[in-house]
Amino acid sequence: MIDRNYALRMAAYNRWMNQNLYACAARLSDEQRREDRGAFFKSLHGTFEHLVSTDTIWMDRFKLRQVGPMKPLGLSFEALCNRRTALDEEIVEWAGSFEGDWLAGDFSYYSYAYAAHYSKPGWQLATHLFNHQTHHRGQATTLLMQFGIDPGPTDLLVSPE
C-alpha cells in the first residue's frame, strides 16, 4: 500500500514534468501542437487536454464534487497551461491530505467512460492517477521528440526533491 509520502512525491514529480513538457510545447506553434501525429489523442494538444480532463475528473471524484461525462475542453494552449498549473497545485494539496483510512478503505465512484460503478481501495485509485499521468506524458515526450525538442531527463529519480 502507498502512503502520504509516496503521493506527495508523485504529485511533485507530476507538477515538475508538466512544467517541463508545457515549456517545451510552448516552443511550437499552435498548428504544430494541434497537428495530428497519429498519437492516441492525435496531437500534443489533444494529449495534454486528455490529461487535464481525466485529472479533473479524478480530483472531482476524490473531493466529492459532481462528476459528469468527459467533454472536449476546447481550450487555447495558454488556457490549458493555466488550468494544468492550477490542477497540479490541487493534486499536491490533495496528496498532502491523505489519511491512512482513505488509502486503505474502499472508494466508490461511477465511471461514465465504462458506464459502470466501481469500488476500489483508495491507494489503488491514487496509484492509477499517477500511473495514468506518466503513461500519457511518455506519449507527449515522443511527440515533442518528433518535432526535434528533447525534454531532457524525465525519470522520477532525477526530479527535484
Side-chain angles (χ1 to χ4, degrees), residues 2-53:
I2 68 169
D3 62 13
R4 181 182 302 165
N5 290 333
Y6 168 85
L8 282 168
R9 181 73 174 121
M10 293 304 294
Y13 170 64
N14 172 63
R15 178 176 52 197
W16 172 70
M17 277 304 306
N18 284 330
Q19 289 169 347
N20 181 33
L21 295 182
Y22 275 71
C24 289
R27 296 167 45 194
L28 299 170
S29 69
D30 195 49
E31 292 77 24
Q32 288 173 308
R33 286 189 297 268
R34 292 176 183 272
E35 181 183 325
D36 185 341
R37 306 288 287 190
F40 194 77
F41 295 100
K42 301 195 181 328
S43 66
L44 183 59
H45 192 91
T47 302
F48 286 160
E49 276 205 346
H50 171 73
L51 276 171
V52 166
S53 292

Side-chain angles (χ1 to χ4, degrees), residues 54-123:
T54 54
D55 288 355
T56 298
I57 287 171
W58 281 110
M59 286 297 98
D60 287 347
R61 283 179 182 141
F62 294 151
K63 291 188 167 193
L64 304 177
R65 297 184 295 231
Q66 186 163 358
V67 176
M70 190 182 319
K71 298 175 185 164
L73 297 176
L75 297 175
S76 69
F77 182 67
E78 180 181 356
L80 196 59
C81 288
N82 291 336
R83 179 66 187 126
R84 179 77 262 171
T85 299
L87 190 53
D88 288 343
E89 292 309 313
E90 183 178 12
I91 292 169
V92 169
E93 175 190 317
W94 166 76
S97 72
F98 277 177
E99 300 291 336
D101 290 349
W102 187 88
L103 289 167
D106 281 348
F107 184 86
S108 297
Y109 66 96
Y110 180 79
S111 169
Y112 284 92
Y114 299 112
H117 291 275
Y118 293 93
S119 188
K120 303 280 184 186
W123 70 268

